[in-house]
């Protein structure tokens, strides 16, 4: 399993609590979660796990490249399992739901920046807000 390999390659062991945190992320792929949300579900798998352990596991997973931080322009940091697939999220301003968007044309903009400036872009963020299909204004 990928997690075992990544952990052991860096001298970390699998623990029931780390497994619980990773399983929660993996079972909720495509749904960025706050540490507090991870904690609630991880407790079902590893009773006794605390928020500090969840945070440490999440940071470790990010460092190992099996999870990533999701930039949602909200106060708290969100995490998700790292699928290696670049994507963004569209956020409904009415119900708060988040929909994954796989298309990203920012590389075209990065080409323009490369051609026209001396700036080296290494990452980008893209915030998209609006209405999901159930919340479209005017919908009965
Ligand atoms: Zn909505
Ligand atoms: Zn992008
Ligand atoms: Zn941003």
């Amino acid at each position: 399993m990928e997690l075992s390999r990544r952990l052991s390659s860096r001298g970390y062991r699998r623990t029931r609590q780390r497994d619980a945190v990773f399983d929660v992320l993996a079972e909720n792929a495509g749904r960025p979660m706050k540490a507090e949300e991870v904690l609630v579900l991880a407790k079902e798998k590893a009773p006794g796990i605390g928020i500090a352990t969840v945070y440490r596991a999440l940071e470790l997973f990010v460092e190992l490249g099996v999870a990533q931080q999701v930039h949602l322009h909200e106060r708290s940091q969100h995490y998700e399992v790292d699928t290696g697939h670049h994507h963004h999220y569209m956020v409904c301003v009415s119900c708060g739901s988040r929909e994954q968007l796989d298309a990203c044309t920012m590389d075209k903009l990065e080409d323009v920046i490369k051609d026209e400036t001396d700036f080296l872009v290494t990452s980008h963020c893209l915030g998209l807000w609006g209405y999901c299909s159930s919340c479209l204004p005017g919908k009965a």
Side-chain angles (χ1 to χ4, degrees):
M1 184 198 168
E2 178 77 347
L3 179 63
S4 302
R5 204 168 53 76
R6 300 261 182 130
L7 282 171
S8 61
S9 73
R10 301 283 294 272
Y12 292 100
R13 282 176 306 111
R14 275 180 68 179
T15 64
R16 193 151 138 249
Q17 299 192 329
R18 280 179 187 149
D19 277 1
V21 171
F22 185 77
D23 288 347
V24 167
L25 290 182
E27 287 161 14
N28 290 279
R31 185 180 153 224
M33 301 178 90
K34 291 188 262 201
E36 292 79 8
E37 293 169 328
V38 173
L39 176 65
V40 172
L41 297 175
K43 269 184 174 161
E44 290 170 10
K45 303 168 188 291
I49 190 170
I51 190 72
T53 306
V54 169
Y55 270 115
R56 277 198 303 269
L58 290 171
E59 291 306 320
L60 176 63
F61 294 158
V62 169
E63 203 187 309
L64 297 175
V66 293
Q68 61 187 0
Q69 295 187 336
V70 186
H71 181 59
L72 287 174
H73 305 90
E74 288 178 23
R75 216 161 297 154
S76 19
Q77 186 61 63
H78 289 70
Y79 298 85
E80 69 181 356
V81 69
D82 190 346
T83 56
H85 181 76
H86 183 75
H87 59 270
H88 295 282
Y89 284 94
M90 300 175 284
V91 180
C92 177
V93 295
S94 176
C95 71
S97 71
R98 302 182 191 114
E99 203 171 317
Q100 192 169 319
L101 175 73
D102 292 323
C104 176
T105 56
M106 290 291 266
D107 51 343
K108 294 199 180 80
L109 180 60
E110 290 180 11
D111 283 345
V112 172
I113 293 169
K114 198 158 81 186
D115 288 346
E116 298 184 359
T117 77
D118 291 326
F119 192 87
L120 174 67
V121 176
T122 56
S123 67
H124 65 254
C125 80
L126 180 61
L128 297 158
W129 294 270
Y131 294 95
C132 73
S133 56
S134 345
C135 297
L136 269 180
K139 187 169 169 173

